[in-house]
Amino acid sequence: MKRAALYLRVSKHDQTIDNQRIELEKVAAAKGWKIVSVFKDEGISGSFGQGVRSQYDAMLKSGVRAQHDVVMAWDVSRLSRSLAELVTTLDELHALGIDLYLHQQAIDTTTPAGKAMFQMCGVFAEFERGILSERVKAGLNRARSEGKVLGRPFKVANIKAILNDREEGKTIRQIATEQNLSVGKVHNMLKANGLFRK
């Protein structure tokens, strides 16, 4: 008999999780699964991921401790609003040998068809990440072609202060901390001005 964990979530405090719970309890009974834990995030948006939804985190930790075999949720939006984040969660669950049941989408990874659907979700998530990456690159290339300088602009006074600090013997790390810059950025600036020394 599979041990099931219910994950229930509503975005607003005046909404109820009872409808989700009742329906999932019926499914568990029909499949012969025993509900061993119920995790409830009430009044928390699905756009928040791990670290904000305490019961979501608890559900994943419970899985790490092998306290359930399948996670049941009303629908995909209860777990995540992002396909990429959902697939990451599914990968974590599957690495632990935990299956997923999503009622509204009829996804049940305890079955071969459900496993195939999960793999297709992974393909679409990778496709989504690729499209986003291409859009970002296209935007940066367009900005460069228009002559825009990308990144945080330096003031001439800041550059002079950095060069003076280095000539006075300050380390790159000290300069970076004082100027609120990365060590790499200070390093590159000093190298371009012939003041880099190990």
Side-chain angles (χ1 to χ4, degrees):
M1 178 183 287
K2 282 195 178 288
R3 299 164 300 159
L6 303 187
Y7 178 71
L8 313 171
R9 185 188 64 76
V10 288
S11 299
K12 298 178 182 173
H13 286 291
D14 59 353
Q15 296 173 322
T16 179
I17 59 171
D18 289 340
N19 295 336
Q20 297 175 35
R21 180 183 52 77
I22 291 167
E23 200 62 36
L24 292 173
E25 284 173 350
K26 287 179 186 174
V27 172
K31 289 182 173 286
W33 297 345
K34 180 183 178 184
I35 297 173
V36 293
S37 50
V38 179
F39 300 94
K40 301 179 269 189
D41 277 319
E42 299 179 76
I44 300 175
S45 170
S47 60
F48 294 115
Q50 295 181 22
V52 177
R53 292 189 280 160
S54 62
Q55 290 294 289
Y56 183 76
D57 293 340
M59 178 264 295
L60 293 175
K61 287 175 185 170
S62 177
V64 170
R65 293 190 291 268
Q67 294 177 344
H68 52 260
D69 306 308
V70 60
V71 170
M72 301 179 72
W74 173 250
D75 95 1
V76 68
S77 69
R78 300 303 91 196
L79 289 175
S80 175
R81 298 274 186 206
S82 156
L83 180 58
E85 184 182 314
L86 174 67
V87 171
T88 299
T89 299
L90 293 178
D91 282 339
E92 289 175 18
L93 292 174
H94 279 272
L96 298 168
I98 296 171
D99 285 301
L100 180 68
Y101 175 84
L102 298 173
H103 188 66
Q104 289 295 90
Q105 286 75 31
I107 294 177
D108 179 357
T109 64
T110 64
T111 67
K115 282 185 170 63
M117 181 62 77
F118 165 70
Q119 289 168 347
M120 283 190 284
C121 285
V123 169
F124 284 115
E126 187 60 37
F127 180 64
E128 181 184 50
R129 283 191 292 268
I131 288 174
L132 182 61
S133 174
E134 289 302 315
R135 285 180 183 161
V136 169
K137 286 177 187 172
L140 292 172
N141 289 337
R142 180 190 48 74
R144 283 189 195 101
S145 71
E146 292 172 357
K148 292 183 181 173
V149 178
L150 302 175
R152 196 167 73 177
F154 287 111
K155 293 180 180 172
V156 174
N158 289 357
I159 295 172
K160 286 181 181 175
I162 289 168
L163 297 177
N164 287 339
D165 285 347
R166 187 59 173 170
E167 285 176 347
E168 290 171 8
K170 287 188 179 178
T171 67
I172 291 176
R173 189 167 300 283
Q174 287 172 323
I175 297 169
T177 302
E178 289 172 8
Q179 295 291 332
N180 196 25
L181 296 170
S182 72
V183 170
K185 198 161 267 194
V186 173
H187 172 275
N188 290 338
M189 188 182 303
L190 293 172
K191 193 172 183 180
N193 288 278
L195 289 174
F196 173 72
R197 56 185 180 276
K198 291 183 181 178

